[in-house]
Amino acid sequence: MKYVDEFRDGQLAQGLARAIAAEALPDRRYNFMEFCGGHTHAISRYGVPDLLPSNVRMIHGPGCPVCVLPIGRIDLAIMLALEKGVILCTYADTLRVPASGRLSLMRAKARGGDIRMVYSVTDAIKIARDNPNKEVVFFAIGFETTTPPTAEAIRQADSEGMKNFSVLCCHVLTPSAIINILESPEVRVLGTVPLDGFVGPAHVSTVIGSRPYEFFAEEYRKPVVIAGFEPLDVMQAILMLIRQVNEGRAEVENEFTRAVTPDGNLKAQKLVSEVFELRRTFEWRGLGEVPYSALKIRGQYAQLDAERRFNLEYKPVPDNKSCECGAILRGLKKPIDCKLFGTVCTPEDPMGSCMVSSEGACAAHYSYGRYKDAEVTL
Amino acid sequence: MSAEIKKGYIRPLDLRNGRVDMSHGSGGRAMVQLITDLFSKHFANDYLSQGNDGTLLPEAKGRIVVSTDSHVVSPLFFPGGDIGCLSVHGTVNDVAVMGATPLYLTAGFILEEGFPLKDLARIVESMAKAAKEAGVTIVAGDTKVVEQGNGDGVFITTTGLGFLPDGDELSGDRVRPGDVVLLSGTLGDHGVAIMSQRENLSFDTPILSDTAALNGLVATMLASGANLKVMRDPTRGGLAATVNEISHQSGVGIHLDEANIPVRAEVEAACELLGLDPLNIANEGKLIAICAKEDSDLLLAAMRSHPLGERSAIIGQAVEDPNCFVQIRTRFGGRRMVDWLSGEQLPRIC
């Protein structure tokens, strides 16, 4: 397939693997976090770790929108579907995230909730137009990549004067999450998470640009290489990170120049700031309350904000006590360190959110990498 | 004499504008008329016209292989086929991949009140054509009607009977380390063809469903004399599910090679767009076969000699593995597991 196969070429990968092996110093370890679930998936799906020397380790970060969605938010969506009788539209992966009372949106659907999987917010708008007598709520999740389409939908619904459409906004922000990880005592003081650098977001960066990362590269002395979601992009970024570490640099570099500019997509940014404003705080699964890390709908669009429209009150719900999603999302633990992993928590019946999406660290390891654990124990 | 009287009283079935109504399932004259004028007319054979509660079939040589499958595909008509031919192919294939010769089918219809008779006729004609091409006879049937809103047009359940000659039977537990895995053609065509028709997915694709009866291909493979261990058609859950089933039944690991698995460029592009893996997508006209290593070239040549197996390929090998893991070497050069699909990728695919 043109424009895709070029970035999955096995021979080029071998060349990069040789370069990485040659430049990684044998007497030190390299721990890099790929922030995005898209990278986690590519790494697992294409078997990238097989091409890395044993002293280069990838840590899966929290950049999977489904994984960081706290139970309380799913509970709100379920409540809207079951108690308020709305048509709730959302992306497929969200349907399986475990919520309170052994429910999930999928199970709420089986109990009679009108919950529909959509591929884009445009589908939700269409459903609202087709069902003028029903309230239609779009359960909006995601990082900066999915935010502009939601903003556009809100503006469109507003200009059309749609009376039966609203958005349950759970859009979150990448830079604040990265800062939260860097500020965590494990990284900053204790050094239990040895982080030598980041593979920076691909699609998110097409929107926000590469500039927002400059602050923490400088402030926290961590190199960042923005990379595309194809496996060769990831390999190239790893090589660039190794070079920065070896040379003692901590800069923002851009491997994904075919799509990312320093300023990003200014039109999209303007649209987003027109429709959304910062929340003072937002609960992330795994990271807890993170200040100024999410967006809410501005007052002028209040009638399109499901939280205001239905007087929703957010109630935080703690995760299962044994679930290690929090530590895994912060890179403190690996999936196999969790007692629930592969026993009572599987992709069929996820307990924690990292087991839900194929971009989640646990699901990726369970579906793609489990054979490696067996090799260790055999 | 009574038949002549009946003729005068009943208006012929309106296949242009008529619709299924509750009387078509009531056991009365309207039902008899629907059966005679539509089903019996197209499926016509001596067994079906016996007219008793059960059909008496002649004595046959060999062991009986039976398989049943319900079809709820949406939409009913899709590029490359419809629920009618699909309901024949699906069951014929399940019997055929057991190494048996499929001979008879039964068909149960659940019709929704209000369903256009025109569409029903199209479906029945398609079934009849598919059965004829596959060399199977529809020997018994049943029709029920449910109120509007309690069904979705038509659901069809078919049961297939076939006969297996004496000798070793094919079975998922016969695979041993070293055995070779073959695939009869491109993956994912059926699933993507269906997906392209779903209302919330507005992409156009020239992909046709691969729905087809595989008994001809199977006969060619059996005639090659290769030491076959198991055959299976990777429908729902795709190749990933089928290979995992076999690895667990046989207690072996299976290693696949992504570079050798044929996938059409259009299917790959659609999967890329939707975040799907062709390994998980349903097929309705493909089979996988596992045979002893020394016979793999012989079997491959036999498969490629048949029109439905032109793009056959050797895609992997069974290995010793107490965990029964299925692994794949990616084209990129790494390794990963191939697991069962979690959750629901695409409801009502067949």
Side-chain angles (χ1 to χ4, degrees), chain A residues 21-35:
Chain A
E23 296 196 29
L25 303 172
D27 54 349
R28 72 156 293 165
R29 299 191 64 80
Y30 299 84
N31 296 291
F32 301 127
M33 176 180 276
E34 84 276 5
F35 179 83

Side-chain angles (χ1 to χ4, degrees), chain B residues 110-164:
Chain B
I110 295 175
L111 308 175
E112 186 186 10
E113 178 188 20
F115 187 65
L117 288 174
K118 187 178 61 185
D119 289 346
L120 183 61
R122 241 178 103 190
I123 289 166
V124 171
E125 281 164 30
S126 166
M127 273 183 92
K129 182 164 169 272
K132 192 169 172 221
E133 284 168 1
V136 294
T137 312
I138 296 174
V139 296
D142 176 55
T143 311
K144 297 273 161 37
V145 180
V146 295
E147 299 89 343
Q148 207 154 67
N150 289 349
D152 193 4
V154 186
F155 298 145
I156 304 176
T157 301
T158 50
T159 300
L161 290 174
F163 296 92
L164 183 68

